[in-house]
Amino acid sequence: ADIQAICTGNTATISPVNNFTIGVTNNWSSAAVAGITGHATTGSSNVTETLINTTTTPQTLVYTYTPTAAGCAGTTQQFTVTVNPAPTMSSPTNTTICSENALSFNLNTNIPGSTFNWIASDNTNTTGETTTTQNASSITDAITNNVTSLQIVTYSVIPTGAAGACPGVQQTVTVNINPTPTLTSANTATLCSGGSVNIPLTANVASTYTWVANSNANVTGESTTNQTANTLNNTLTTAVGSAPETVLYTITPQSIAG
């Protein structure tokens, strides 16, 4: 064909046809194009070149053939080859979320208008990752870590360029999913007025804690502002003549891993 388009890294083949079957030399010339490698500027036979486009836009080469037989030059022919670029991923290769949170991971390349196919590898300790191929410009899976240790889900992303639908190099995206802490410490305590509640706070994963008491008008000593100690400790006193009173505490664990 007089006009052809290839993806970067593929081979262009040009085989001129003329009305001589023997004794013809197909001399050709082609100007160098910035951003194209693997290209010769002259030759005397058919073209077979593996062309690399190092830019982010399509580049076009023009080959001019002059057939020569018995010292006589024939009519020149021109052939064009457009070399489309392949995208290179430019988005990060890893991210971290908490269990049950949704990813908001945007995919990008060096070529505007690229599209993406992506798929997750299955992790038996997590749920929510998409293990069928998706065509989308972001990964939005909400992944649940079903165990108490850090889990990893790996995604494979293949970008495709807007021009010529040329595929780029696959990128691996690693998603770290931290477990959600669950309190394992005691959730009730009984004491006499003037006594101290003292509950060491524990969870199923290494955590820090924030705790606060709901105010009770008949009790003094409860902490009604956020505390960050790893032990819930208050000395509680009821009003004289008061019936048994209850103080409610809200405890929020935060895993150390994030």
Side-chain angles (χ1 to χ4, degrees), residues 7-96:
C7 289
T8 182
N10 287 357
T11 300
T13 301
I14 300 174
S15 303
V17 177
N18 52 65
N19 58 355
F20 281 72
T21 57
I22 59 173
V24 177
T25 300
N26 288 311
N27 294 309
W28 58 266
S29 63
S30 180
V33 173
I36 295 293
T37 62
H39 173 53
T41 56
T42 60
S44 58
S45 62
N46 295 343
V47 170
T48 302
E49 294 187 321
T50 299
L51 302 171
I52 306 294
N53 182 348
T54 62
T55 75
T56 58
T57 57
Q59 301 297 318
T60 298
L61 301 171
V62 178
Y63 297 82
T64 301
Y65 268 88
T66 304
T68 302
C72 298
T75 302
T76 60
Q77 292 177 277
Q78 283 195 331
F79 300 84
T80 62
V81 176
T82 297
V83 186
N84 291 310
T88 299
M89 295 293 298
S90 57
S91 41
T93 57
N94 63 82
T95 190
T96 299

Side-chain angles (χ1 to χ4, degrees), residues 224-239:
T224 56
T225 58
N226 284 336
Q227 306 295 306
T228 57
N230 289 342
T231 299
L232 193 159
N233 189 303
N234 280 163
T235 299
L236 304 176
T237 303
T238 60

Side-chain angles (χ1 to χ4, degrees), residues 108-119:
N108 299 292
T109 74
N110 61 337
I111 299 178
S114 296
T115 58
F116 307 88
N117 285 334
W118 55 265
I119 188 172

